[in-house]
Amino acid sequence: MSNTLTKADIVDTIHERMDMNRAEIKDHVEALLDIMKQAIKSDHSLLISGFGKFEAYDKDARKGRNPQTNETITLPPRKVVVFRLSRKFRGEINDQRE
């Protein structure tokens, strides 16, 4: 079973640490996520110092194969978002000090 942190978990954690009502916190979290989404859509990157960088890039159309029929198909071009950890956060995860 996975221990995935959800948006609701984030809201609950902030609610425990701050003197704000849950609905207000949820609105702030939603606003932050909207800002992040728009930054990635328009600028194709989002840098959060000490955490990491989200980058969007275009993948070209490519040939693929339907595994059930072995039919060759062309997969359309698409955008892909990748996340790269900051050096500082990577060190924290790996329990190293820089």
Side-chain angles (χ1 to χ4, degrees):
M1 184 174 225
S2 175
N3 291 331
T4 303
L5 180 69
T6 65
K7 195 179 342 179
D9 295 334
I10 294 169
V11 170
D12 290 341
T13 302
I14 294 171
H15 178 68
E16 291 170 5
R17 295 181 184 185
M18 299 186 73
D19 187 28
M20 294 171 66
N21 69 38
R22 193 172 259 112
E24 201 175 352
I25 294 169
K26 184 177 181 237
D27 290 342
H28 287 297
V29 170
E30 289 286 346
L32 177 63
L33 292 174
D34 285 340
I35 291 167
M36 293 171 71
K37 286 182 208 176
Q38 289 305 314
I40 293 169
K41 283 180 185 177
S42 62
D43 300 336
H44 297 283
S45 67
L46 169 68
L47 173 65
I48 302 172
S49 296
F51 183 66
K53 185 174 187 177
F54 294 89
E55 290 181 292
Y57 66 94
D58 297 318
K59 285 189 97 173
D60 295 329
R62 61 188 176 93
K63 290 185 180 180
R65 182 181 60 84
N66 181 333
Q68 292 179 332
T69 64
N70 277 335
E71 175 187 3
T72 301
I73 56 174
T74 301
L75 299 169
R78 60 191 172 120
K79 289 198 183 293
V80 177
V81 177
V82 294
F83 176 73
R84 291 182 174 83
L85 287 175
S86 73
R87 211 177 291 163
K88 179 181 177 183
F89 190 33
R90 184 179 303 123
E92 289 175 18
I93 287 175
N94 293 314
D95 212 18
Q96 299 170 352
R97 299 286 176 221
E98 292 186 359

